[in-house]
Amino acid sequence: KKEKPDGAVFSLKYTHSKWLQAGSADLGMELAVKHVKEGELDMPINLIPEVVVLDPTHNIEVSRKFAEENRHRFHSAVVGGLSSGPAMRYSTVFQELGIESPIIAVPGTAGALSDASKYPNFFRTIQSDGLLARAFAFMVNTFQWKNVCMMYENGPYPIGQYNDIKVGFDNLGIEITNEEEYRIFPVNFYKDREIFQPEVLEGFNAMRRSKCRVHYFAAFPLSYKAIAELKYDLGFWGKEYVIVGTHFMTMSDYKSKLQQKKIEAVFEGSIAAMAPFYVGQKGAGIYNQLVQMNNGLQPNLFATYIYDCFLAYAYAVRYCIDQGLDYENPKDIHKAMYKISFEGAIGTFKVIGGETNDRSPVGFNIVNIVGGRQVEIGKYAPNDNIVLTFSQDPVFSNGKSIPPPDIAEDDLECPYFEHDKEINYWDRQELFIMSAYCIVSGCLVCALMFK
């Protein structure tokens, strides 16, 4: 806390995860603080941020202990980068402990967080996976695909994303082909991918046998590269296949030329609904400033959303001041969140209210991977009569703009699985062990001979 000459006292709690910080998302926080200090809201106080790290790997017990030990540090709100799982945990813990501070967060996109009756103190500046699922379903329906193969990681967020998308598909009569066969059992995509994990291989083989061309993966954005490499090694790429999805923001920063070749080959011709980096003229200006702050490079997708997080809190504080409320009282800040409206980096921010504390939707960009680059080809705007519009035709993996059929007439090509050969992980492991045994034995024999 710092006291200003006018007597105003203020303290901000800002939370972040390490991967957001490393990914340049925190630049959005820095820019928002700068703009408020320079008079964005003409406020008589200066916002001084204090960083409170809430580790996204915390389980509910650790989260509760942290909140209990630091509850004196939560004053009027908690602002910053909480992903879906931690956002659910901390929102639940705050309610249990009677901590009334609103949580204004990003990138917590899980559809479950839209339920204001269950998470009454949770607000977010990013759009929910539930809304994104509807955009995705509209896109698939536009191409007249009625069958989609889906694989999803075994974890709360990917399973939640899968459920959101399944609801969107059900509403439009789209089937998810043999859904239970395609579940990805625990595979750590953040480290060395386990190529011979039997359940994953069998899932891919089941996808090939179904003759379904259209593949979707409910997974963390960071997993997309690992999945793409695996698809390449198994032969799932080229004109036979189409990837549709929501997380293609990880198409840069390759580890090697070989990885780049694999990922670009698999994603070529894919199409996705993505959250926009910015909306409107003001948003474009904010985005350009973030690019400059990031040494001319595209910042993390969440940078602009964290910018809006901070501004939402600042506008709530300003509303309390104008209305004679106590801006250090969590209840007053909570009330103010339903009253404010402002132009931020992602268009107009306004809380819907009622059954949800989500922001009013601003829509999504439709992007197409062409020549290894993301090309924006359309918009999904849920507030318009025509919700899905295209500015140019997509180019699919077959090099054509006409959507390929969702089901192939002939068997799909996939050299790894040709002749439907049996996948036996243990045969491969035994072969490796026997090979290693022979090499070690040979070395020992040679050592004894020359001793």
Side-chain angles (χ1 to χ4, degrees):
K1 288 189 176 183
K2 290 192 177 182
E3 189 165 343
K4 292 297 171 185
D6 58 8
V9 179
F10 189 81
S11 180
L12 172 75
K13 303 303 173 212
Y14 169 60
T15 71
H16 69 85
S17 59
K18 293 179 181 177
W19 71 269
L20 277 180
Q21 189 178 38
S24 72
D26 279 0
L27 294 177
M29 171 72 170
E30 293 179 21
L31 186 61
V33 171
K34 179 176 181 290
H35 285 176
V36 171
K37 287 182 176 180
E38 291 175 350
E40 168 82 14
L41 285 76
D42 191 26
M43 296 174 69
I45 57 176
N46 195 0
L47 306 185
I48 308 298
E50 175 187 341
V51 176
V52 180
V53 180
L54 302 184
D55 191 336
T57 61
H58 281 173
N59 57 36
I60 191 72
E61 290 77 17
V62 176
S63 301
R64 185 179 292 107
K65 181 180 179 182
F66 182 90
E68 287 175 339
E69 293 176 349
N70 293 276
R71 62 183 305 155
H72 63 285
R73 302 173 66 192
F74 303 125
H75 293 275
S76 52
V78 177
V79 180
L82 278 180
S83 54
S84 298
M88 293 177 186
R89 289 195 291 273
Y90 278 104
S91 183
T92 301
V93 166
F94 275 28
Q95 291 181 70
E96 292 176 355
L97 299 178
I99 300 174
E100 298 175 319
S101 306
I103 298 174
I104 312 168
V106 63
T109 59
L113 285 163
S114 296
D115 187 351
S117 64
K118 190 173 183 180
Y119 304 104
N121 61 341
F122 180 78
F123 300 84
R124 56 184 164 195
T125 55
I126 198 167
Q127 299 169 107
S128 73
D129 283 342
L131 186 62
L132 183 58
R134 290 195 287 275
F136 177 70
F138 264 97
M139 183 175 67
V140 170
N141 194 54
T142 298
F143 299 132
Q144 299 181 4
W145 291 327
K146 296 299 181 182
N147 295 277
V148 177
C149 283
M150 181 175 288
M151 296 186 75
Y152 53 104
E153 286 185 79
N154 189 23
Y157 171 69
I159 290 175
Q161 188 189 49
Y162 162 85
N163 290 330
D164 287 334
I165 288 184
K166 191 173 187 305
V167 169
F169 281 10
D170 288 344
N171 291 339
L172 293 174
I174 299 169
E175 297 179 6
I176 299 178
T177 309
N178 297 328
E179 60 192 63
E180 290 304 321
E181 293 187 45
Y182 306 135
R183 178 165 181 171
I184 294 182
F185 287 78
V187 177
N188 191 346
F189 284 119
Y190 293 94
K191 296 181 181 178
D192 294 330
R193 57 195 175 86
E194 301 176 38
I195 295 179
F196 299 121
Q197 184 84 10
E199 295 88 351
V200 178
L201 290 177
E202 182 52 41
F204 273 107
N205 198 20
M207 291 170 70
R208 182 190 67 85
R209 291 196 303 265
S210 73
K211 298 185 179 181
C212 182
R213 296 173 182 264
V214 184
H215 297 173
Y216 174 81
F217 298 95
F220 286 100
L222 294 178
S223 298
Y224 267 62
K225 287 181 181 178
I227 292 174
E229 287 189 89
L230 185 56
K231 282 181 69 106
Y232 184 93
D233 290 340
L234 298 180
F236 282 88
W237 59 284
K239 63 182 180 180
E240 297 277 353
Y241 302 95
V242 176
I243 295 181
V244 287
T246 57
H247 287 306
F248 292 163
M249 74 278 287
T250 55
M251 292 293 293
S252 59
D253 301 325
Y254 303 103
K255 290 185 293 186
S256 66
K257 286 290 184 182
L258 179 60
Q259 186 193 46
Q260 179 179 356
K261 172 189 172 184
K262 291 180 177 182
I263 293 173
E264 290 186 352
V266 169
F267 277 119
E268 186 66 20
S270 58
I271 190 166
M274 274 184 55
F277 277 88
Y278 61 86
V279 173
Q281 186 174 354
K282 181 175 181 180
I286 294 167
Y287 176 77
N288 289 333
Q289 290 181 65
L290 289 169
V291 171
Q292 292 177 8
M293 293 170 66
N294 199 35
N295 300 317
L297 300 175
Q298 176 178 285
N300 184 292
L301 171 68
F302 299 119
T304 44
Y305 292 89
I306 286 185
Y307 178 95
D308 281 2
C309 269
F310 188 95
L311 277 196
Y313 186 25
Y315 271 91
V317 170
R318 178 57 193 263
Y319 178 87
C320 288
I321 293 172
D322 291 343
Q323 299 299 316
L325 303 175
D326 182 0
Y327 61 80
E328 289 194 299
N329 185 331
K331 290 183 179 180
D332 286 345
I333 289 291
H334 195 280
K335 293 176 185 177
M337 287 297 296
Y338 297 104
K339 301 293 185 180
I340 62 172
S341 176
F342 65 91
E343 284 297 316
I346 312 296
T348 302
F349 176 84
K350 184 172 178 59
V351 175
I352 296 173
E355 296 180 352
T356 180
N357 288 338
D358 284 350
R359 69 175 297 161
S360 297
V362 294
F364 298 91
N365 297 334
I366 307 301
V367 299
N368 188 198
I369 305 298
V370 181
R373 293 177 56 251
Q374 290 182 174
V375 179
E376 185 179 318
I377 62 170
K379 298 278 187 183
Y380 172 80
N383 296 325
D384 296 338
N385 292 328
I386 302 176
V387 295
L388 186 61
T389 56
F390 287 89
S391 56
Q392 65 185 71
D393 293 332
V395 178
F396 295 98
S397 53
N398 58 9
K400 300 178 181 179
S401 295
I402 301 174
D406 52 359
I407 299 294
E409 294 181 3
D410 302 319
D411 288 343
L412 292 167
E413 294 180 8
C414 187
Y416 185 88
F417 293 116
E418 63 184 0
H419 308 305
D420 225 7
K421 62 186 178 184
E422 186 74 19
I423 301 172
N424 193 320
Y425 170 75
W426 292 110
D427 283 351
R428 297 176 184 279
Q429 190 177 56
E430 288 168 4
L431 179 62
F432 173 79
I433 293 172
M434 289 300 295
S435 299
Y437 176 79
C438 291
I439 292 172
V440 172
S441 299
C443 292
L444 288 174
V445 170
C446 292
L448 290 172
M449 288 178 62
F450 293 99
K451 186 174 180 181

